Amino acid sequence: MKILSFAILVVMISCAQKSGVEESVVDPTLSFRTETVVRESCVGENCAKLRLSWPVASGPAAADKINQYIRDQMSLFVQTGEDAALLDTMIVAYFRSFDEFKSEFPDSYGGWEIEVEAKVSYQSDRTLSIYFSQFSYLGGAHPNSAVSFLNIDPKSGEALSLDQLVLDENSLLKLSEQKFRAYHEVEEGLSLSEDGRFFLPETGFFLANAIGFKEGKFWVIYIPYEIGPYVMGSTELDFSKEELSGVVRW
């Protein structure tokens, strides 16, 4: 009876040790919360407004790198001068620049405004996409708006280069041009350069800077001035997984 009790105890200890080892090697799930900054500073009746929101990652070790990439991208949207810096520094510089501008040009009318929203738009075990939408008005004829993507390897936390995200660039370029022509109803047989509405380099059609995943699809988004005049607005091309199987990194 003593021998049987001892055997049972050994099995119980062995199982407990095995269970503890398994739990220690399991990485916690990558999760996100939203951080928001809303500030305003006025000179007389004119105000500088700032509203920022972005996802903050927590969980595995890669979360710190992911958060740094996101904050670095956010700081670029707040940048009003030539020098880039950390996000908190850029926020202070934004309001300081507004105060200095109003001090130098006291008769200038109107305020400034920057609004940036970043959110997780796609997440798989291989690819994480952060989608940024930005609106700004710092004086001038009209406000500016733009969108962009930050694509990251969720396991390493490193940003994905174009050749890491796009596995077959020639195929994506060809498919994008076909959708671009259909989107703008370009006459069949007419080249994009002959159409005359678009800004094209000598090398011809090109992929947009804003490419990434949202709403379960892959997007190629040309913002105003990138491939056409401001009045043309954005050109947003979306592709299903079936269309781009083997072409991009899902």
Side-chain angles (χ1 to χ4, degrees), residues 1-192:
M1 188 66 179
K2 291 182 178 180
I3 296 176
L4 179 60
S5 299
F6 177 78
I8 293 173
L9 180 61
V10 169
V11 171
M12 290 176 64
I13 293 173
S14 176
C15 289
Q17 290 176 338
K18 182 178 180 181
S19 176
V21 171
E22 288 178 344
E23 289 177 359
S24 66
V25 298
V26 175
D27 287 334
T29 303
L30 184 65
S31 60
F32 293 88
R33 62 178 176 84
T34 300
E35 187 163 332
T36 301
V37 171
V38 179
R39 297 183 188 176
E40 180 176 312
S41 177
C42 299
V43 177
E45 296 181 353
N46 300 319
C47 299
K49 300 178 180 179
L50 183 70
R51 187 183 190 283
L52 310 174
S53 66
W54 66 93
V56 178
S58 61
D64 288 341
K65 284 187 178 180
I66 293 172
N67 289 331
Q68 190 60 58
Y69 276 117
I70 294 173
R71 288 181 68 89
D72 287 347
Q73 187 67 34
M74 293 294 293
S75 70
L76 294 178
F77 290 116
V78 185
Q79 185 175 353
T80 55
E82 295 182 358
D83 297 329
L86 298 176
L87 179 57
D88 293 342
T89 302
M90 298 306 293
I91 291 174
V92 173
Y94 166 71
F95 289 106
R96 184 176 63 242
S97 296
F98 177 74
D99 291 342
E100 292 173 350
F101 177 79
K102 288 300 181 182
S103 177
E104 186 175 355
F105 303 99
D107 296 330
S108 63
Y109 176 77
W112 289 4
E113 184 175 359
I114 293 179
E115 183 172 348
V116 185
E117 180 184 15
K119 59 184 180 180
V120 177
S121 56
Y122 179 82
Q123 187 175 358
S124 72
D125 60 346
R126 301 184 68 232
T127 308
L128 171 70
S129 281
I130 311 297
Y131 179 69
F132 299 82
S133 56
Q134 177 255 351
F135 168 90
S136 66
Y137 180 74
L138 305 178
H142 55 74
N144 292 308
S145 60
V147 299
S148 61
F149 288 93
L150 174 62
N151 300 293
I152 296 174
D153 182 329
K155 295 180 179 179
S156 68
E158 297 291 345
L160 295 171
S161 62
L162 178 63
D163 60 348
Q164 290 174 315
L165 180 66
V166 180
L167 308 178
D168 188 342
E169 188 173 345
N170 288 333
S171 293
L172 180 60
L173 185 66
K174 182 179 179 180
L175 292 169
S176 296
E177 183 171 0
Q178 292 173 357
K179 288 212 171 188
F180 185 91
R181 292 178 63 91
Y183 184 98
H184 289 287
E185 299 180 343
V186 178
E187 182 180 339
E188 187 174 353
L190 188 70
S191 69
L192 294 178

